[in-house]
Amino acid sequence: MSAALLPGATGEDGRPITLGVMGGGQLGRMFVQAAQEMGYVTVVLDPDAASPAGAVAHHHIRAGYLDEQGLAQLMQRSSAITTEFENVPAAALLTLGAQRPVAPGADAVAVCQDRDAEKRHFRASGVPCAPWALIETAEQLATVADELLPGILKTARLGYDGKGQVRVADRAALAAAWDELGRVPCVLEKMLPLALELSVIVARAADGTLVHFPVQQNLHRDGILAVTQVPAPEVSEALRQQAVQCAQAVAQSLRYVGVLCVEFFVLQDGTLVANEMAPRPHNSGHYSIDACDQSQFDLQVRTLAGLPLAAPRLHSCAVMLNLLGDLWFDAQGTERTPPWAQVLALPGAHLHLYGKAGARPGRKMGHLTITAADAATARAVALQAAALLGLPAF
Ligand code: ATP
Ligand code: MG
């Protein structure tokens, strides 16, 4: 990327510098909010009239990700373009990238979109991951190694929040699961004995500057992130360093520009294994808005605009609770508003709702970050918040 796109400046076409984002979900919304705070004009492309990011951006182009007219409009309005959603077709990013700076680039996003390519990239970067096999044909299914069972069959593409995954105990279950998933290309991963889960978010600039957030410890429920704690309470300093080094290696070997999250498993024997990566800010980094001097979205803005990257600093300990649509229903299944007044009476409570109209079980409606001067307090207050909301303790 060439000269920085300075906020509030005017582009060659005489119009204000405008940052565009493909995808209008909550990640796009928080990107737009960070960009606006710095003075950028923003534009979102998303087909949904009620998209969380479309509702806050200066401009919302309502079109599909492969709609030529929509892409042309996005290109025309934007000085640079990013994506909030790894399932944005890489072809669309290629089209855009031919005319405008696009970060992350189509090639990096394409690797993250395909679980087989992603794992090959981990291995090529010297980062260990779960043993796996690609299953695209009935023959590959039949000849899969015994040591991969019991395992998890995951669609190679388009999975998120544990969707497109089936746990399989034996070969019969594997064959049935592949049928259930429509015989699309899949990876079979060995089921690993997890002790805990971590993630590391890095930001890399076009000039190679690489900064990172502290290691996050994540708790998933039903395949969906439920709780993130920072600093990671159960992780040694050596393991933290190893996780950061792995994430940096992955970003560097992709020549990545933008914000990248690498998710890890820590196995019961203490081994670190990469799970997957996301070419964008990540749910496990939302705490950074309230607990760091620069959030993951601020760094996404900076990498996209070609601004300098300074290492973010954690100024508070934090616990983030994801707020899923389930909280909008009482035990009888009647719709309710969660008890925000009580939750907001807690010290260090930061509520973020994404402006989604319809609450549904499992739908990410918002998150709550509890910040405190020390980890014990953050955790104790977060447990109080969880109890008020009817969430399980952690
Ligand atoms: P997201 O995109 O929301 O992170 P996803 O749908 O891509 O989720 P994964 O991260 O692959 O799904 O898996 C979801 C969860 O399932 C993991 O966080 C972990 O708890 C569990 N899991 C996945 N793979 C394995 C494995 N090989 N062994 C044990 N547990 C696993
Ligand atoms: Mg995951």
Side-chain angles (χ1 to χ4, degrees):
M1 227 172 285
S2 42
L5 299 166
L6 299 178
T10 305
E12 279 166 19
D13 57 3
R15 295 200 301 186
I17 296 293
T18 300
L19 300 183
V21 55
M22 290 282 278
Q26 61 267 16
L27 299 173
R29 179 182 173 100
M30 291 183 268
F31 166 80
V32 160
Q33 289 168 333
Q36 290 178 339
E37 217 174 89
M38 282 184 74
Y40 289 104
V41 176
T42 53
V43 53
V44 166
L45 181 137
D46 190 280
D48 180 3
S51 80
V56 298
H58 295 82
H59 308 287
H60 177 191
I61 300 165
R62 272 187 229 163
Y65 304 124
L66 283 171
D67 179 294
E68 276 178 32
Q69 274 189 9
L71 291 175
Q73 267 190 57
L74 181 67
M75 206 134 63
Q76 197 228 338
R77 281 198 186 269
S78 307
S79 321
I81 299 162
T82 188
T83 170
E84 63 120 32
F85 172 52
E86 72 251 55
N87 294 329
V88 160
L93 295 178
L94 257 185
T95 307
L96 295 169
Q99 312 244 2
R100 290 285 184 275
V102 170
D107 47 351
V109 174
V111 172
C112 302
Q113 282 175 345
D114 180 324
R115 289 189 191 274
D116 183 57
E118 183 173 69
K119 290 175 193 302
R120 284 187 278 118
H121 181 75
F122 286 146
R123 212 161 51 180
S125 309
V127 173
C129 59
W132 88 98
L134 174 64
I135 295 180
E136 289 180 303
T137 65
E139 204 199 333
Q140 285 171 324
L141 184 83
T143 55
V144 96
D146 284 332
E147 64 126 15
L148 294 178
L149 292 164
I152 307 187
L153 188 67
K154 303 180 177 181
T155 58
R157 310 179 70 87
L158 300 175
Y160 70 98
D161 288 348
K163 294 185 176 65
Q165 301 197 2
V166 185
R167 296 183 174 222
V168 292
D170 51 32
R171 284 177 183 278
L174 173 62
W178 198 45
D179 282 341
E180 188 187 319
L181 294 173
R183 297 185 153 236
V184 295
C186 285
V187 298
L188 175 65
E189 255 179 62
K190 185 180 174 66
M191 178 78 78
L192 299 173
L194 308 191
L196 45 100
E197 299 191 54
L198 309 178
S199 56
V200 175
I201 295 169
V202 301
R204 187 172 179 275
D207 70 2
T209 309
L210 192 55
V211 300
H212 66 89
F213 287 92
V215 174
Q216 296 121 204
Q217 186 170 326
N218 302 324
L219 173 69
H220 292 79
R221 297 192 184 112
D222 300 325
I224 307 179
L225 181 67
V227 182
T228 294
Q229 300 184 74
V230 189
E234 295 167 78
V235 184
S236 69
E237 184 51 36
L239 203 59
R240 286 185 206 184
Q241 280 180 16
Q242 195 191 340
V244 169
Q245 278 162 8
C246 288
Q248 288 173 333
V250 166
Q252 239 148 9
S253 53
L254 272 178
R255 294 209 253 185
Y256 192 84
V257 178
V259 172
L260 176 82
C261 178
V262 183
E263 294 181 59
F264 297 93
F265 299 140
V266 180
L267 306 188
Q268 280 162 17
D269 66 2
T271 319
L272 186 74
V273 169
N275 170 27
E276 58 169 356
M277 59 179 163
R280 50 169 172 79
H282 191 260
N283 196 165
S284 62
H286 290 356
Y287 74 91
S288 63
I289 298 174
D290 301 303
C292 295
D293 59 357
Q294 298 183 77
S295 76
Q296 59 172 349
F297 302 101
D298 295 328
L299 297 192
Q300 187 183 18
V301 172
R302 285 178 179 241
T303 51
L304 181 63
L307 294 173
L309 276 187
R313 182 177 64 86
L314 182 78
H315 57 65
S316 297
C317 297
V319 178
M320 184 219 62
L321 304 178
N322 251 354
L323 304 172
L324 302 183
D326 310 60
L327 299 182
W328 274 253
F329 298 92
D330 67 17
Q332 283 71 46
T334 309
E335 212 161 336
R336 62 160 193 172
T337 299
W340 300 136
Q342 285 161 279
V343 168
L344 290 170
L346 297 171
H350 307 265
L351 178 63
H352 299 255
L353 295 181
Y354 308 143
K356 296 184 183 178
R360 285 192 308 272
R363 188 174 195 205
K364 290 177 179 170
M365 301 297 288
H367 68 270
L368 178 76
T369 302
I370 304 294
T371 56
D374 62 88
T377 307
R379 183 182 156 80
V381 176
L383 284 168
Q384 279 180 282
L388 286 169
L389 290 166
L391 290 170
F394 51 88

